[in-house]
Amino acid sequence: MSFIGMSTSCYYPLETEKSLERVCLLGFKNVEMFINSYSELEEPFIEKYKRLIDEYSVNLVSIHTTASFADGYNYFSEYYRRFEESVEVFKKYLEFANKFNTPYLVMHGLKKISKSSDELYFERFKILTDLAYENGVSLLQENVVNFRSESPDYIEKMKNYIGERFGITLDIKQCRRAGVDPYEFIEKHSEIIKHIHISDYNDELDCITPLKGKFDFNNFFGCMKEHGYDGSYIIELYEHSWSDENEIAFAGKELQKILNGAD
């Protein structure tokens, strides 16, 4: 059965462990964690996360790479030695995920302006995907505006190259920013959508608390159910896009009711 969760990114730039505690206090039992510095992948932070996760009986659904804006520089540039060094950091994400039985690691990937070829990108992403798979984790490509992944057609190319282990995180906010209908992603790629970021919008802002704008969650959840999706829906906002954290908690409860109705 699908569920609603919340991302620690909603509180950024509050420190990650404090953000996690705030999410737990709001009552969310399913959480995505943004790792915001490399030290946060290690002790003493791991013990702090473990204490909160155990105390509040939280399920850590996914983790997000630290320097998403620099994925291209670290993993997908033509300088192979830097890729080799970055793989060692990547392994730390996998070790972290295994400590908390976290199934998904989310990555932004390569920016559109990068000079790296598609073939290089796909080859490197496949290496990372296979490494994650061998360690019991699914690496997910997120659709992000101004990144190559913003296009459903480009995702098709990645899927064809990488194969059955390839999966994506669908972010409806990023669809809006890229001028892409999220339903185009669903129609073309429903079988590889493993994780979803949700938000709302109005005439002035493209990212606000769910149920405070125009997005039709009834239709969206129903569509995903028809396509067989039974994964997570994570509320992912930015600090400036909400004013009262209790509104996020309320949205989470109401969305779960809508989702249960769709199920």
Side-chain angles (χ1 to χ4, degrees), residues 81-199:
R81 183 182 298 158
R82 186 164 56 245
F83 170 67
E84 290 181 308
E85 291 178 353
S86 297
V87 167
E88 296 308 306
V89 176
F90 186 81
K91 290 177 181 177
K92 290 183 180 294
Y93 288 111
L94 303 181
E95 292 170 3
F96 182 97
N98 284 325
K99 288 180 187 294
F100 296 101
N101 297 314
T102 302
Y104 299 129
L105 172 61
V106 181
M107 178 175 278
H108 284 185
L110 191 63
K111 291 184 177 181
K112 291 169 66 175
I113 62 172
S114 172
K115 295 180 180 179
S116 296
S117 69
D118 288 346
E119 184 177 1
L120 183 152
Y121 181 31
F122 299 163
E123 178 185 346
R124 299 274 182 84
F125 203 95
K126 187 177 189 307
I127 291 171
L128 297 177
T129 297
D130 290 344
L131 179 58
Y133 180 84
E134 291 162 6
N135 285 272
V137 180
S138 294
L139 175 64
L140 302 181
Q141 168 71 72
E142 183 176 359
N143 64 297
V144 183
V145 66
N146 295 325
F147 283 68
R148 296 188 188 181
S149 61
E150 72 177 11
S151 163
D153 291 337
Y154 195 83
I155 291 294
E156 182 74 20
K157 294 178 183 179
M158 293 190 74
K159 179 172 65 174
N160 291 339
Y161 187 99
I162 295 169
E164 62 182 11
R165 293 176 179 174
F166 181 63
I168 66 172
T169 294
L170 175 64
D171 188 315
I172 60 176
K173 158 183 16 76
Q174 297 294 343
C175 286
R176 288 192 288 270
R177 292 179 170 182
V180 177
D181 187 338
Y183 292 99
E184 183 179 350
F185 269 100
I186 296 168
E187 291 303 317
K188 290 184 177 181
H189 303 304
S190 61
E191 79 283 2
I192 59 170
I193 297 174
K194 307 298 181 183
H195 187 59
I196 297 177
H197 290 161
I198 57 174
S199 56

Side-chain angles (χ1 to χ4, degrees), residues 15-53:
E15 292 90 339
T16 300
E17 68 278 10
K18 295 178 182 177
S19 298
L20 176 60
E21 184 172 27
R22 296 276 288 272
V23 173
C24 291
L25 287 169
L26 285 184
F28 285 92
K29 296 300 183 183
N30 299 285
V31 179
E32 175 174 278
M33 184 185 294
F34 265 66
I35 306 298
N36 292 308
S37 71
Y38 295 119
S39 64
E40 293 173 2
L41 291 166
E42 301 172 350
E43 298 290 0
F45 294 105
I46 288 176
E47 181 56 35
K48 294 179 181 179
Y49 308 145
K50 186 177 187 306
R51 178 183 60 78
L52 289 167
I53 287 169

